[in-house]
Amino acid sequence: MVAAMLRAFRSYPSREVPVLDHLSIPTRDTAASADFYGSVFAPLGAQVIMRFPRGDGEVVGLGGPDGKPSFWLGAGPPSGELHIAFVAPDRSSVDAVHAAAVDRGAEILHAPRVWPEYHPSYYAVFVRDPDGHNVEAVCHT
């Protein structure tokens, strides 16, 4: 299985998944989650792009400098742990995400390091978000 994953990583011309337009996850507290993602992943360019009301809560769209909201947070009970990995342009950005998470008091699941079991240059940090999800910043070079 690991060998197949390595072949898949190496076969992609880029690390983007071209069929993924956006992702939406439920949150217990949309405002708190938007604040968490907007600050912890700011070193990767994450920012709140738009907000709009839905029912008794709100929906928040985050994105990068291109202004496209591609990561959505919405009110609703989380139904189990999710794993979400955000692309980092370099290792110092992964380290900056780690520092931002530490500053917020977030649970650090795995401090930044190389994960050779994924591939020889997989450098990542794993943290817990306010809803208990395992979120990662990863650099592949």
Side-chain angles (χ1 to χ4, degrees):
M1 172 130 159
V2 173
M5 286 175 50
L6 287 173
R7 282 192 303 278
F9 273 120
R10 291 181 182 132
S11 68
Y12 296 138
S14 75
R15 299 292 178 223
E16 296 180 29
V17 179
V19 296
L20 184 63
D21 182 71
H22 64 274
L23 172 70
S24 177
I25 65 170
T27 65
R28 285 189 278 282
D29 183 337
T30 304
S33 290
D35 182 56
F36 173 85
Y37 282 97
S39 64
V40 170
F41 292 96
L44 306 183
Q47 58 188 314
V48 172
I49 304 293
M50 79 175 43
R51 296 174 181 265
F52 61 89
R54 180 188 288 162
D56 293 335
E58 70 175 340
V59 175
V60 177
L62 291 98
D66 65 357
K68 178 185 179 284
S70 56
F71 183 69
W72 291 89
L73 304 167
S79 58
E81 179 181 299
L82 298 174
H83 174 67
I84 304 160
F86 295 91
V87 175
D90 51 45
R91 291 181 179 198
S92 64
S93 296
V94 171
D95 295 338
V97 167
H98 176 249
V102 168
D103 287 347
R104 288 188 58 88
E107 179 185 357
I108 307 302
L109 300 173
H110 301 287
R113 72 172 178 89
V114 173
W115 295 82
E117 58 270 36
Y118 300 147
H119 67 71
S121 58
Y122 195 107
Y123 186 78
V125 61
F126 298 80
V127 304
R128 187 80 63 202
D129 83 354
D131 289 297
H133 300 306
N134 172 354
V135 292
E136 169 186 359
V138 58
C139 173
H140 291 278
T141 57

